Amino acid sequence: MTNLSPSLNSVMSRLHAKQLRLLITIEECGSLLGAADKIGLTQPGASKALRELEQTLQVELFARTNRGLIPTEAGLCALRFARLIQADINKLRHELDAIASGAGGRLSIGTIMGAVPVLTDAVTHLLRQQPRMSVEIVEDTSETLLGLIDRGRLDAAICRSSVSRNPDVYESLFVKAESLAVIANVRHSAMGADAVDLRELQDSRWVVYRAQMPMRRLLEREFHEAELNFPLHLIETTSALATLTLLSRNTDLVALVSEDLANYFCHNGLVGTLALTLKSRSEPYELVFRKGTPKSPALALLVEALVPDGQPASARGISS
């Protein structure tokens, strides 16, 4: 196939939604026959649709192997955009339904564990303005949330774009600086002490994020700088509820969390904050979107609630 990219007019006039659906389904099934069955096409019909799509885009989208159809590099690129188009069409459908029913629209937003209180405060404020709005909240790691943004599953997320290999594909707005705290069950042996040294917690069992996440790296750095071995027997979770439940039921567990989350947890009286001073600084929270994507009215209201001055993350010295 030629290396010259087709014009926009050429693609728009020849591209069909069924071809994009077929593209996604082939990748999911790994075979043309499986994809054809799943979306109700004959195999010759599916083969023709794929051939027409490759001719429209002027690239080979799948390599034919003994393991089935494997996306080429161009195919992976086309799949990413096909999923975004599919997600945008789905959002169009939801927003049209909301307009028809008189509702306030729909918002899908992600958050890392430490920013849960920040997001829920903003959503509470938003729902006072738009009481009929539907909201989906997904809590996970920055890496997973960015992937969901890439696939059009989330409108935005409070996370950190620095974990991405390609942070320049996102638009980031500064939300707030993050302060950290170490929390534990109120009956932990170090609870109530005027000052706690990290060495005293080396034998405690830590509830942590998985490896390579910013907060996990920060904790590893604290142990390294204190010339202590990092604990081996960890409990890894991205869930705020799991962290709280584990700490409330185990007196020997400790966890590094945001100060916002620590303050919220301490209200229930089951956990408390240890007097441990951390030397490292955490990365601030960012509100991250796909760059160049129009913001829905619902998302614009959330941005206003979270980032009143609309200041880019780069303006605060943060990579975007």
Side-chain angles (χ1 to χ4, degrees):
M1 297 193 179
T2 179
N3 291 325
L4 295 176
S5 298
S7 69
L8 176 61
N9 286 340
S10 173
V11 173
M12 292 295 290
S13 64
R14 299 173 63 187
L15 191 63
H16 301 287
K18 70 174 183 180
Q19 295 171 330
L20 298 180
R21 186 181 174 204
L22 175 65
L23 176 65
I24 294 168
T25 310
I26 291 174
E27 196 263 344
E28 292 172 348
C29 296
S31 74
L32 193 63
L33 179 60
D37 288 342
K38 192 169 182 178
I39 64 175
L41 289 175
T42 63
Q43 186 169 2
S47 180
K48 180 182 177 184
L50 176 59
R51 186 168 60 253
E52 289 174 347
L53 179 58
E54 290 182 320
Q55 290 172 349
T56 297
L57 300 179
Q58 298 179 15
V59 291
E60 186 177 33
L61 298 173
F62 292 94
R64 282 71 175 172
T65 73
N66 55 9
R67 293 177 296 157
L69 296 180
I70 306 297
T72 62
E73 184 177 355
L76 290 173
C77 177
L79 277 162
R80 180 162 58 90
F81 281 95
R83 288 194 173 96
L84 292 176
I85 293 169
Q86 180 176 262
D88 285 340
I89 292 173
N90 194 42
K91 288 174 185 174
L92 169 64
R93 183 173 60 85
H94 282 300
E95 289 200 25
L96 291 176
D97 288 344
I99 291 171
S101 65
R106 178 180 173 82
L107 183 66
S108 296
I109 185 79
T111 179
I112 54 177
M113 178 170 65
V116 168
V118 176
L119 177 60
T120 52
D121 284 348
V123 169
T124 300
H125 174 75
L126 182 61
L127 292 177
R128 291 195 187 104
Q129 296 178 287
Q130 298 285 341
R132 301 190 68 183
M133 179 179 293
S134 298
V135 180
E136 177 189 13
I137 297 176
V138 177
E139 179 192 346
D140 216 308
T141 64
S142 292
E143 182 180 33
T144 299
L145 295 173
L146 292 175
L148 293 173
I149 291 173
D150 290 342
R151 296 195 294 275
R153 295 284 303 279
L154 294 176
D155 298 305
I158 303 179
C159 60
R160 297 181 175 101
S161 59
S162 62
V163 306
S164 171
R165 294 180 181 179
N166 301 296
D168 291 339
V169 303
Y170 306 107
E171 175 188 352
S172 301
L173 298 176
F174 175 89
V175 175
K176 66 173 294 189
E178 181 186 51
S179 298
L180 300 178
V182 176
I183 59 174
N185 187 290
V186 291
R187 291 177 291 163
H188 189 280
S189 58
M191 190 63 65
D194 292 336
V196 177
D197 188 88
L198 189 60
R199 190 177 302 274
E200 299 174 54
L201 302 178
Q202 188 174 18
D203 294 329
S204 291
R205 195 157 192 174
W206 285 80
V207 181
V208 296
Y209 266 77
R210 65 173 179 259
Q212 304 308 316
M213 291 295 98
M215 196 177 293
R216 171 72 169 271
R217 293 200 302 264
L218 184 149
L219 184 60
E220 290 172 349
R221 186 164 62 249
E222 289 283 324
F223 272 88
H224 176 75
E225 292 179 356
E227 298 183 347
L228 299 171
N229 292 326
F230 191 69
L232 295 176
H233 306 295
L234 305 168
I235 300 175
E236 297 181 337
T237 182
T238 60
S239 168
L241 179 59
T243 300
L244 174 60
T245 306
L246 284 165
L247 292 177
S248 67
R249 295 179 178 176
N250 297 272
T251 60
D252 63 333
L253 296 182
V254 294
L256 178 65
V257 300
S258 71
E259 199 169 77
D260 292 309
L261 204 56
N263 292 336
Y264 183 79
F265 282 175
C266 290
H267 281 310
N268 63 35
L270 297 175
V271 302
T273 300
L274 299 177
L276 175 68
T277 301
L278 298 168
K279 298 177 182 178
S280 303
R281 292 184 61 188
S282 179
E283 294 182 44
Y285 299 139
E286 303 169 37
L287 185 62
V288 182
F289 329 84
R290 292 183 333 215
K291 185 174 286 186
T293 302
K295 297 177 181 63
S296 67
L299 182 55
L301 287 172
L302 182 69
V303 171
E304 186 177 333
L306 283 168
V307 194
D309 60 358
Q311 191 161 6
S314 57
R316 303 291 186 101
I318 307 163
S319 297
S320 62

